[in-house]
Amino acid sequence: EVQLQASGGGLVQPGGSLRLTCAASGFTFDDHGIGWFRQAPGKEREGVSAIASVSGSTYYADSVKGRFTISRDNVKNMAFLQMNDLKPEDTAVYYCARRMIWGSYDYMSLQEYENWGQGTLVTVSS
């Protein structure tokens, strides 16, 4: 029943932009933080960005600070990741997930998230 679906990926040239969308259903959306994670070929999944459930506090990996912006719409049950100035190293499958209610400290930890959906592929290449 709980579902989070990432979409909006595609092929973009270096320096370009994309906006990813996370559509959520089956739970009280504003009870949970939302995180964006990515997994590049041959690499482990890593945290990209996260946003708190209500306060709007945001968190970013050092590699994307100043380039990516996370947001959410608690009326539409959606979260977004605006990605600007994309680099080849941003190429990955991007996933969104909900943060567990018991999550205490690290908004960027995979261990504090659940209900992973299918990701969306972002390819940055010339």
Side-chain angles (χ1 to χ4, degrees):
E1 185 178 43
V2 174
Q3 187 173 10
L4 295 96
Q5 180 61 54
S7 63
L11 175 64
V12 63
Q13 293 187 331
S17 298
L18 285 172
R19 189 173 87 147
L20 305 184
T21 297
C22 177
S25 62
F27 66 100
T28 303
F29 184 68
D30 61 2
D31 280 349
H32 296 262
I34 299 295
W36 285 97
F37 299 82
R38 67 187 182 188
Q39 188 164 19
K43 299 183 67 177
E44 295 184 343
R45 192 171 299 183
E46 64 177 351
V48 177
S49 184
I51 185 167
S53 59
V54 176
S55 72
S57 297
T58 57
Y59 309 85
Y60 297 93
D62 289 342
S63 60
V64 306
K65 287 181 180 177
R67 299 189 297 120
F68 291 11
T69 303
I70 190 171
S71 61
R72 65 188 294 162
D73 186 332
N74 285 346
V75 174
K76 297 181 179 180
N77 292 349
M78 290 183 176
F80 308 93
L81 185 67
Q82 178 66 46
M83 305 185 294
N84 297 327
D85 191 24
L86 284 161
K87 304 178 183 297
E89 52 263 42
D90 295 318
T91 296
V93 177
Y94 284 71
Y95 302 84
C96 64
R98 71 174 187 173
R99 189 165 184 255
M100 298 179 187
I101 292 177
W102 58 259
S104 298
Y105 300 108
D106 191 355
Y107 266 87
M108 302 292 288
S109 172
L110 276 70
Q111 300 297 321
E112 298 192 7
Y113 289 82
E114 63 183 356
N115 297 110
W116 302 89
Q118 289 188 339
T120 185
L121 177 62
V122 173
T123 302
V124 184
S125 176
S126 60

